[in-house]
Amino acid sequence: MDRLVLLVSTGVARGLVIALFALSLVIIWRAARIVNFAQAAMAVVAVYVAFAVHAATGSYVLAVLGALVTGALLGLAVERGLMRRVPGATPMPGMIVAIGLVMVLQSLLGVLFGSRHRPMSPVFSQSPLYVGDVPVLSRYDLFVLVVALVVVVGLGLLFNRSTLGLQLRAAAVAPEVSRLLGVRVPRMVTIGWMLSSAVAALAVLLLVPTELGLNAHSADVLFVHAFTVAVLGGLDSPAGALVGGLVVGVLISLVTGYASAGLAPLAVLGLLTTVLLVRPGGIFATKEARTA
């Protein structure tokens, strides 16, 4: 029983990081109707900047700010420099450009920093805390939980309770109508890219200290899990990303703890296949078009 509590609690912490990255994919889908396959590589670039800031200043707060700012600027550069020049009639050209960007960014990181993992120390201890005799979350897991929940709630309020969120949604769903109503659609798309890239950078920054370390491919598995979560919940559903992230995180933790780490991807694939067979659009997919 103690082991089950520990696995579930750590799975929830890991699941919220996955949900956070999945939310970044949902944001970019809502803003530009594209799956950004370069999201992980862009986030890793931002985390390398955070690593450098932390090494130079010793401040974790400045490192987080560095990751967020770099992620947002990368989103701005990619949208303005690449995606705005790609035909937007269908999502396919943008996805192909994103895949090419992955290759470029990962190759550059490999040339500049090599293939070895650079360890990043967590800001808090990873030793589990105890409630009575039962091990639960570590201090770092609690920190991740708090940060992820704050960001998730903040994004929910942004999209559902603010004028900017309404404009972002309207620009993605009905760009021509939005232009007639005075919404600056290109600006909304740019903001969506910046917000999405910053959230992804934060998710990777939270994850890396619990893994082998930082290298060009540190976020590849996270992207696969987050993309799975986004599809499970529905690419247009922030609630689906949150619930799906928690389910996948706990599933990975339980399978790893009771079986082996090698079976965890198969368990996630089985869950994805089952959901797609039952509800191809995702569990939280809307049945009718949303009106802005």
Side-chain angles (χ1 to χ4, degrees), residues 79-119:
E79 194 278 326
R80 292 287 178 91
L82 288 176
M83 295 303 176
R84 190 168 289 194
R85 306 174 189 275
V86 175
T90 65
M92 187 59 66
M95 292 180 185
I96 293 173
V97 170
I99 293 172
L101 183 59
V102 172
M103 299 177 183
V104 171
L105 291 177
Q106 289 185 340
S107 298
L108 286 175
L109 290 174
V111 169
L112 293 173
F113 302 105
S115 59
R116 71 181 182 90
H117 288 81
R118 296 167 177 255

Side-chain angles (χ1 to χ4, degrees), residues 25 39 55 78 125 150 162 164 170 183 192 203 213 216 252 261 267-268 276:
L25 297 177
Q39 196 87 307
V78 169
S125 171
V150 168
S162 72
L164 176 60
V183 177
I252 292 171
V268 175
L276 290 180

Side-chain angles (χ1 to χ4, degrees), residues 11 17 31 42 51 61 72 74 76 81 116 126 144 151 168 181 186 202:
V17 175
M42 292 166 62
F51 185 92
V61 174
L74 276 173
L76 172 66
R116 71 181 182 90
Q126 288 187 281
V144 170
V151 174
L168 286 167
L181 294 174
L202 178 61

Side-chain angles (χ1 to χ4, degrees), residues 195-209:
L195 183 61
S196 170
S197 299
V199 171
L202 178 61
V204 175
L205 182 62
L206 292 174
L207 176 72
V208 166

Side-chain angles (χ1 to χ4, degrees), residues 227-250:
F227 181 67
T228 301
V229 165
V231 174
L232 284 175
L235 274 169
D236 203 36
S237 173
L242 176 59
V243 174
L246 293 174
V247 170
V248 168
V250 172

Side-chain angles (χ1 to χ4, degrees), residues 7-276:
L7 290 173
V8 170
S9 59
T10 54
V12 168
R14 176 65 177 266
L16 278 174
V17 175
I18 297 173
L20 203 57
F21 199 99
L23 275 172
S24 75
L25 297 177
V26 170
I27 291 169
I28 199 61
W29 177 259
R30 282 188 156 202
R33 282 300 185 263
I34 185 175
V35 177
N36 181 20
F37 287 100
Q39 196 87 307
M42 292 166 62
V44 169
V45 172
V47 175
Y48 265 104
V49 173
F51 185 92
V53 171
H54 188 264
T57 65
S59 172
Y60 186 77
V61 174
L62 290 179
V64 172
L65 291 176
L68 293 175
V69 171
T70 304
L73 291 177
L74 276 173
L76 172 66
V78 169
E79 194 278 326
R80 292 287 178 91
L82 288 176
M83 295 303 176
R84 190 168 289 194
R85 306 174 189 275
V86 175
T90 65
M92 187 59 66
M95 292 180 185
I96 293 173
V97 170
I99 293 172
L101 183 59
V102 172
M103 299 177 183
V104 171
L105 291 177
Q106 289 185 340
S107 298
L108 286 175
L109 290 174
V111 169
L112 293 173
F113 302 105
S115 59
R116 71 181 182 90
H117 288 81
R118 296 167 177 255
M120 293 183 70
S121 300
V123 66
F124 297 107
S125 171
Q126 288 187 281
S127 299
L129 300 171
Y130 285 81
V131 177
D133 295 328
V134 180
V136 289
L137 297 171
S138 68
R139 287 182 174 84
Y140 186 72
D141 288 334
L142 288 173
F143 169 72
V144 170
L145 276 171
V146 171
V147 172
L149 285 174
V150 168
V151 174
V152 168
V153 171
L155 289 173
L157 293 175
L158 171 66
F159 277 103
N160 297 305
R161 302 293 182 184
S162 72
T163 301
L164 176 60
L166 178 61
Q167 290 179 347
L168 286 167
R169 294 163 59 194
V173 176
E176 297 302 325
V177 175
S178 299
R179 286 189 180 93
L180 293 175
L181 294 174
V183 177
R184 298 183 178 181
V185 173
R187 177 179 293 181
M188 293 301 107
V189 173
T190 300
I191 291 173
W193 272 88
M194 295 175 69
L195 183 61
S196 170
S197 299
V199 171
L202 178 61
V204 175
L205 182 62
L206 292 174
L207 176 72
V208 166
T210 67
E211 301 293 320
L212 294 174
L214 178 62
N215 82 340
H217 300 278
S218 292
D220 289 356
V221 174
L222 176 61
F223 176 85
V224 173
H225 289 159
F227 181 67
T228 301
V229 165
V231 174
L232 284 175
L235 274 169
D236 203 36
S237 173
L242 176 59
V243 174
L246 293 174
V247 170
V248 168
V250 172
L251 176 64
I252 292 171
S253 181
L254 291 176
V255 172
T256 301
Y258 285 112
S260 72
L263 291 177
L266 295 178
V268 175
L269 178 61
L271 176 62
L272 175 62
T273 303
T274 302
V275 171
L276 290 180

